[in-house]
Short mmCIF file of all heavy atoms in Angstrom, two decimals:
data_model
loop_
_atom_site.label_atom_id
_atom_site.label_comp_id
_atom_site.label_asym_id
_atom_site.label_seq_id
_atom_site.Cartn_x
_atom_site.Cartn_y
_atom_site.Cartn_z
N ALA A 204 4.99 -4.22 7.54
CA ALA A 204 4.96 -5.52 8.20
C ALA A 204 4.25 -6.59 7.39
O ALA A 204 4.65 -7.76 7.42
CB ALA A 204 4.30 -5.38 9.57
N VAL A 205 3.19 -6.22 6.65
CA VAL A 205 2.47 -7.22 5.86
C VAL A 205 3.36 -7.74 4.74
O VAL A 205 3.47 -8.96 4.53
CB VAL A 205 1.16 -6.63 5.30
CG1 VAL A 205 0.48 -7.63 4.37
CG2 VAL A 205 0.22 -6.26 6.43
N LEU A 206 4.02 -6.84 4.02
CA LEU A 206 4.94 -7.27 2.97
C LEU A 206 6.09 -8.07 3.54
O LEU A 206 6.54 -9.06 2.94
CB LEU A 206 5.46 -6.06 2.21
CG LEU A 206 4.46 -5.35 1.29
CD1 LEU A 206 5.08 -4.07 0.72
CD2 LEU A 206 3.99 -6.27 0.16
N ARG A 207 6.57 -7.68 4.71
CA ARG A 207 7.70 -8.38 5.33
C ARG A 207 7.35 -9.82 5.68
O ARG A 207 8.22 -10.70 5.67
CB ARG A 207 8.14 -7.61 6.58
CG ARG A 207 9.46 -8.09 7.16
CD ARG A 207 9.95 -7.15 8.24
NE ARG A 207 9.04 -7.07 9.37
CZ ARG A 207 8.44 -5.95 9.76
NH1 ARG A 207 8.62 -4.84 9.08
NH2 ARG A 207 7.64 -5.95 10.81
N ARG A 208 6.08 -10.08 5.98
CA ARG A 208 5.66 -11.43 6.37
C ARG A 208 5.46 -12.36 5.18
O ARG A 208 5.30 -13.56 5.35
CB ARG A 208 4.37 -11.35 7.19
CG ARG A 208 4.55 -10.68 8.55
CD ARG A 208 3.20 -10.50 9.24
NE ARG A 208 2.54 -11.77 9.44
CZ ARG A 208 1.22 -11.89 9.63
NH1 ARG A 208 0.45 -10.81 9.58
NH2 ARG A 208 0.69 -13.07 9.83
N LEU A 209 5.44 -11.81 3.97
CA LEU A 209 5.24 -12.64 2.79
C LEU A 209 6.52 -13.39 2.42
O LEU A 209 7.63 -12.90 2.65
CB LEU A 209 4.81 -11.78 1.60
CG LEU A 209 3.48 -11.06 1.71
CD1 LEU A 209 3.25 -10.19 0.47
CD2 LEU A 209 2.32 -12.03 1.89
N PRO A 210 6.40 -14.58 1.80
CA PRO A 210 7.58 -15.27 1.28
C PRO A 210 8.29 -14.40 0.25
O PRO A 210 7.67 -13.56 -0.42
CB PRO A 210 7.00 -16.54 0.64
CG PRO A 210 5.69 -16.75 1.34
CD PRO A 210 5.17 -15.37 1.63
N ASP A 211 9.58 -14.59 0.07
CA ASP A 211 10.38 -13.73 -0.80
C ASP A 211 9.83 -13.66 -2.22
O ASP A 211 9.75 -12.57 -2.80
CB ASP A 211 11.83 -14.23 -0.84
CG ASP A 211 12.55 -14.02 0.48
OD1 ASP A 211 12.05 -13.22 1.30
OD2 ASP A 211 13.59 -14.66 0.69
N GLU A 212 9.44 -14.80 -2.79
CA GLU A 212 8.99 -14.81 -4.18
C GLU A 212 7.68 -14.06 -4.34
O GLU A 212 7.52 -13.26 -5.28
CB GLU A 212 8.83 -16.25 -4.67
CG GLU A 212 8.35 -16.37 -6.11
CD GLU A 212 9.31 -15.71 -7.12
OE1 GLU A 212 10.49 -15.53 -6.79
OE2 GLU A 212 8.84 -15.37 -8.23
N GLU A 213 6.73 -14.28 -3.44
CA GLU A 213 5.45 -13.57 -3.52
C GLU A 213 5.64 -12.06 -3.32
O GLU A 213 5.02 -11.26 -4.01
CB GLU A 213 4.47 -14.11 -2.48
CG GLU A 213 3.82 -15.42 -2.86
CD GLU A 213 4.67 -16.63 -2.52
OE1 GLU A 213 5.88 -16.47 -2.24
OE2 GLU A 213 4.12 -17.76 -2.52
N ARG A 214 6.52 -11.69 -2.40
CA ARG A 214 6.79 -10.27 -2.18
C ARG A 214 7.43 -9.66 -3.42
O ARG A 214 7.09 -8.55 -3.84
CB ARG A 214 7.68 -10.07 -0.96
CG ARG A 214 7.96 -8.60 -0.68
CD ARG A 214 8.65 -8.38 0.66
NE ARG A 214 9.91 -9.08 0.75
CZ ARG A 214 10.14 -10.12 1.54
NH1 ARG A 214 9.19 -10.59 2.33
NH2 ARG A 214 11.32 -10.70 1.56
N ARG A 215 8.36 -10.38 -4.04
CA ARG A 215 9.03 -9.87 -5.24
C ARG A 215 8.03 -9.64 -6.37
O ARG A 215 8.09 -8.62 -7.07
CB ARG A 215 10.11 -10.86 -5.69
CG ARG A 215 10.94 -10.37 -6.87
CD ARG A 215 11.79 -11.48 -7.45
NE ARG A 215 10.95 -12.52 -8.03
CZ ARG A 215 10.36 -12.42 -9.23
NH1 ARG A 215 10.50 -11.32 -9.95
NH2 ARG A 215 9.62 -13.40 -9.68
N GLN A 216 7.10 -10.56 -6.55
CA GLN A 216 6.11 -10.42 -7.61
C GLN A 216 5.19 -9.22 -7.37
O GLN A 216 4.85 -8.49 -8.30
CB GLN A 216 5.29 -11.70 -7.73
CG GLN A 216 6.09 -12.89 -8.26
CD GLN A 216 5.27 -14.16 -8.30
OE1 GLN A 216 4.08 -14.17 -7.95
NE2 GLN A 216 5.90 -15.26 -8.71
N LEU A 217 4.79 -9.03 -6.12
CA LEU A 217 3.94 -7.86 -5.81
C LEU A 217 4.69 -6.55 -6.05
O LEU A 217 4.15 -5.61 -6.63
CB LEU A 217 3.45 -7.94 -4.37
CG LEU A 217 2.33 -8.91 -4.05
CD1 LEU A 217 1.99 -8.86 -2.58
CD2 LEU A 217 1.09 -8.59 -4.88
N LEU A 218 5.94 -6.50 -5.62
CA LEU A 218 6.70 -5.26 -5.75
C LEU A 218 7.02 -4.95 -7.21
O LEU A 218 7.19 -3.78 -7.58
CB LEU A 218 7.99 -5.36 -4.93
CG LEU A 218 7.78 -5.38 -3.41
CD1 LEU A 218 9.10 -5.54 -2.69
CD2 LEU A 218 7.07 -4.12 -2.96
N ALA A 219 7.10 -5.99 -8.03
CA ALA A 219 7.34 -5.76 -9.45
C ALA A 219 6.17 -5.03 -10.10
O ALA A 219 6.33 -4.39 -11.15
CB ALA A 219 7.59 -7.10 -10.16
N ALA A 220 4.99 -5.12 -9.50
CA ALA A 220 3.79 -4.45 -10.03
C ALA A 220 3.36 -3.30 -9.14
O ALA A 220 2.20 -2.91 -9.14
CB ALA A 220 2.66 -5.47 -10.17
N SER A 221 4.29 -2.75 -8.38
CA SER A 221 3.96 -1.69 -7.42
C SER A 221 4.55 -0.36 -7.84
O SER A 221 5.45 -0.29 -8.69
CB SER A 221 4.48 -2.07 -6.03
OG SER A 221 5.90 -2.00 -5.98
N VAL A 222 4.02 0.70 -7.21
CA VAL A 222 4.52 2.06 -7.44
C VAL A 222 4.69 2.73 -6.08
O VAL A 222 3.73 2.82 -5.31
CB VAL A 222 3.54 2.88 -8.29
CG1 VAL A 222 4.05 4.30 -8.46
CG2 VAL A 222 3.33 2.24 -9.66
N PRO A 223 5.89 3.22 -5.74
CA PRO A 223 6.07 3.98 -4.50
C PRO A 223 5.49 5.38 -4.67
O PRO A 223 5.71 6.04 -5.69
CB PRO A 223 7.59 4.01 -4.31
CG PRO A 223 8.14 3.88 -5.69
CD PRO A 223 7.17 3.03 -6.47
N ILE A 224 4.74 5.84 -3.70
CA ILE A 224 4.08 7.14 -3.78
C ILE A 224 4.24 7.90 -2.47
O ILE A 224 4.62 7.33 -1.45
CB ILE A 224 2.57 7.00 -4.11
CG1 ILE A 224 1.87 6.20 -3.01
CG2 ILE A 224 2.36 6.37 -5.47
CD1 ILE A 224 0.36 6.13 -3.17
N HIS A 225 3.94 9.18 -2.54
CA HIS A 225 3.91 10.00 -1.33
C HIS A 225 2.48 10.51 -1.16
O HIS A 225 1.84 10.94 -2.12
CB HIS A 225 4.87 11.19 -1.44
CG HIS A 225 4.92 12.03 -0.21
ND1 HIS A 225 4.05 13.08 0.01
CD2 HIS A 225 5.72 11.98 0.88
CE1 HIS A 225 4.31 13.63 1.17
NE2 HIS A 225 5.33 12.99 1.73
N LEU A 226 1.99 10.47 0.09
CA LEU A 226 0.63 10.90 0.40
C LEU A 226 0.67 12.12 1.32
O LEU A 226 1.45 12.17 2.27
CB LEU A 226 -0.15 9.77 1.07
CG LEU A 226 -0.30 8.49 0.24
CD1 LEU A 226 -0.95 7.39 1.06
CD2 LEU A 226 -1.11 8.76 -1.01
N ALA A 227 -0.19 13.08 1.02
CA ALA A 227 -0.22 14.33 1.78
C ALA A 227 -1.22 14.22 2.93
O ALA A 227 -2.24 13.53 2.84
CB ALA A 227 -0.61 15.49 0.87
N ARG A 228 -0.94 14.95 4.01
CA ARG A 228 -1.85 14.99 5.14
C ARG A 228 -3.22 15.51 4.71
O ARG A 228 -3.33 16.43 3.91
CB ARG A 228 -1.26 15.87 6.24
CG ARG A 228 -2.17 16.05 7.46
CD ARG A 228 -1.45 16.84 8.54
NE ARG A 228 -2.36 17.16 9.63
CZ ARG A 228 -3.00 18.32 9.75
NH1 ARG A 228 -2.84 19.26 8.84
NH2 ARG A 228 -3.80 18.54 10.77
N ARG A 229 -4.27 14.88 5.24
CA ARG A 229 -5.68 15.18 4.98
C ARG A 229 -6.12 14.78 3.56
O ARG A 229 -7.23 15.10 3.16
CB ARG A 229 -5.99 16.66 5.22
CG ARG A 229 -5.93 17.07 6.69
CD ARG A 229 -6.34 18.51 6.88
NE ARG A 229 -6.42 18.87 8.30
CZ ARG A 229 -6.64 20.10 8.74
NH1 ARG A 229 -6.80 21.09 7.86
NH2 ARG A 229 -6.70 20.34 10.03
N GLN A 230 -5.27 14.10 2.84
CA GLN A 230 -5.65 13.64 1.51
C GLN A 230 -6.71 12.54 1.63
O GLN A 230 -6.55 11.59 2.38
CB GLN A 230 -4.43 13.09 0.79
CG GLN A 230 -4.67 12.69 -0.65
CD GLN A 230 -3.37 12.31 -1.35
OE1 GLN A 230 -2.29 12.64 -0.85
NE2 GLN A 230 -3.47 11.65 -2.47
N VAL A 231 -7.82 12.69 0.93
CA VAL A 231 -8.89 11.68 0.94
C VAL A 231 -8.58 10.66 -0.15
O VAL A 231 -8.54 10.99 -1.34
CB VAL A 231 -10.27 12.32 0.72
CG1 VAL A 231 -11.35 11.25 0.67
CG2 VAL A 231 -10.57 13.33 1.81
N LEU A 232 -8.38 9.42 0.25
CA LEU A 232 -8.04 8.35 -0.68
C LEU A 232 -9.26 7.63 -1.21
O LEU A 232 -9.27 7.13 -2.33
CB LEU A 232 -7.11 7.34 -0.01
CG LEU A 232 -5.84 7.90 0.63
CD1 LEU A 232 -5.08 6.79 1.34
CD2 LEU A 232 -4.97 8.58 -0.40
N GLN A 233 -10.28 7.55 -0.38
CA GLN A 233 -11.48 6.79 -0.72
C GLN A 233 -12.62 7.31 0.14
O GLN A 233 -12.44 7.54 1.34
CB GLN A 233 -11.26 5.31 -0.43
CG GLN A 233 -12.43 4.40 -0.75
CD GLN A 233 -12.26 3.73 -2.10
OE1 GLN A 233 -11.19 3.28 -2.45
NE2 GLN A 233 -13.32 3.66 -2.86
N GLU A 234 -13.77 7.50 -0.48
CA GLU A 234 -14.93 7.94 0.30
C GLU A 234 -15.87 6.77 0.54
O GLU A 234 -15.97 5.86 -0.28
CB GLU A 234 -15.66 9.07 -0.43
CG GLU A 234 -14.88 10.37 -0.43
CD GLU A 234 -15.70 11.52 -0.98
OE1 GLU A 234 -16.74 11.26 -1.61
OE2 GLU A 234 -15.28 12.68 -0.77
N ALA A 235 -16.54 6.79 1.67
CA ALA A 235 -17.51 5.74 2.00
C ALA A 235 -18.58 5.67 0.92
O ALA A 235 -19.04 6.69 0.41
CB ALA A 235 -18.14 6.02 3.36
N GLY A 236 -18.94 4.44 0.55
CA GLY A 236 -19.98 4.25 -0.45
C GLY A 236 -19.47 4.10 -1.86
O GLY A 236 -20.23 3.76 -2.77
N SER A 237 -18.17 4.35 -2.07
CA SER A 237 -17.61 4.18 -3.41
C SER A 237 -16.91 2.82 -3.50
O SER A 237 -16.49 2.26 -2.48
CB SER A 237 -16.61 5.30 -3.72
OG SER A 237 -15.56 5.29 -2.76
N PRO A 238 -16.82 2.24 -4.70
CA PRO A 238 -16.19 0.91 -4.85
C PRO A 238 -14.75 0.93 -4.37
O PRO A 238 -14.01 1.89 -4.63
CB PRO A 238 -16.28 0.65 -6.36
CG PRO A 238 -17.39 1.51 -6.84
CD PRO A 238 -17.35 2.74 -5.98
N LEU A 239 -14.35 -0.12 -3.65
CA LEU A 239 -12.97 -0.23 -3.20
C LEU A 239 -12.03 -0.31 -4.40
O LEU A 239 -12.15 -1.22 -5.22
CB LEU A 239 -12.81 -1.47 -2.32
CG LEU A 239 -13.31 -1.37 -0.88
CD1 LEU A 239 -13.33 -2.74 -0.23
CD2 LEU A 239 -12.44 -0.42 -0.08
N ALA A 240 -11.15 0.63 -4.52
CA ALA A 240 -10.27 0.67 -5.69
C ALA A 240 -8.84 1.05 -5.32
O ALA A 240 -8.01 1.23 -6.21
CB ALA A 240 -10.82 1.68 -6.70
N VAL A 241 -8.55 1.19 -4.05
CA VAL A 241 -7.22 1.61 -3.60
C VAL A 241 -6.60 0.50 -2.76
O VAL A 241 -7.20 0.05 -1.79
CB VAL A 241 -7.31 2.90 -2.76
CG1 VAL A 241 -5.93 3.29 -2.24
CG2 VAL A 241 -7.90 4.03 -3.59
N VAL A 242 -5.42 0.04 -3.14
CA VAL A 242 -4.66 -0.91 -2.34
C VAL A 242 -3.31 -0.28 -2.04
O VAL A 242 -2.53 -0.01 -2.96
CB VAL A 242 -4.48 -2.26 -3.06
CG1 VAL A 242 -3.57 -3.17 -2.24
CG2 VAL A 242 -5.82 -2.94 -3.27
N LEU A 243 -3.05 -0.03 -0.78
CA LEU A 243 -1.82 0.63 -0.36
C LEU A 243 -1.18 -0.10 0.80
O LEU A 243 -1.87 -0.54 1.73
CB LEU A 243 -2.10 2.08 0.07
CG LEU A 243 -2.64 3.06 -0.97
CD1 LEU A 243 -3.03 4.36 -0.29
CD2 LEU A 243 -1.60 3.31 -2.05
N PHE A 244 0.13 -0.21 0.76
CA PHE A 244 0.92 -0.69 1.89
C PHE A 244 1.64 0.52 2.48
O PHE A 244 2.65 0.98 1.92
CB PHE A 244 1.93 -1.75 1.44
CG PHE A 244 1.31 -3.03 0.96
CD1 PHE A 244 0.95 -3.19 -0.37
CD2 PHE A 244 1.08 -4.08 1.85
CE1 PHE A 244 0.38 -4.37 -0.81
CE2 PHE A 244 0.50 -5.27 1.41
CZ PHE A 244 0.15 -5.41 0.08
N PRO A 245 1.14 1.08 3.58
CA PRO A 245 1.80 2.25 4.17
C PRO A 245 3.22 1.93 4.62
O PRO A 245 3.51 0.82 5.08
CB PRO A 245 0.91 2.59 5.37
CG PRO A 245 -0.43 2.01 5.02
CD PRO A 245 -0.11 0.75 4.29
N VAL A 246 4.10 2.91 4.48
CA VAL A 246 5.48 2.76 4.92
C VAL A 246 5.78 3.77 6.04
O VAL A 246 6.16 3.39 7.14
CB VAL A 246 6.46 2.94 3.75
CG1 VAL A 246 7.91 2.90 4.23
CG2 VAL A 246 6.23 1.84 2.70
N THR A 247 5.57 5.05 5.76
CA THR A 247 5.77 6.07 6.79
C THR A 247 4.52 6.90 7.04
O THR A 247 4.54 7.75 7.93
CB THR A 247 6.93 7.01 6.40
OG1 THR A 247 6.63 7.64 5.14
CG2 THR A 247 8.25 6.26 6.29
N CYS A 248 3.47 6.70 6.26
CA CYS A 248 2.23 7.45 6.46
C CYS A 248 1.30 6.71 7.43
O CYS A 248 1.51 5.53 7.71
CB CYS A 248 1.51 7.67 5.12
SG CYS A 248 0.99 6.14 4.31
N VAL A 249 0.31 7.41 7.93
CA VAL A 249 -0.75 6.82 8.75
C VAL A 249 -2.08 7.21 8.15
O VAL A 249 -2.30 8.39 7.83
CB VAL A 249 -0.67 7.29 10.22
CG1 VAL A 249 -1.84 6.72 11.03
CG2 VAL A 249 0.65 6.87 10.85
N ILE A 250 -2.96 6.24 7.98
CA ILE A 250 -4.23 6.46 7.31
C ILE A 250 -5.37 6.14 8.27
O ILE A 250 -5.36 5.12 8.95
CB ILE A 250 -4.34 5.60 6.04
CG1 ILE A 250 -3.22 6.01 5.06
CG2 ILE A 250 -5.71 5.75 5.38
CD1 ILE A 250 -3.12 5.14 3.83
#
């Protein structure tokens, strides 16, 4: 929904620098206290 709300050109530029990935259940993406370094737009996963 966030990507869908962006203007076409801005969305195109972001997607040009994106990578589609698959995430496994119980996978830890980031632990509390560590620098924020993960930016993800979920599609079918829930975090």
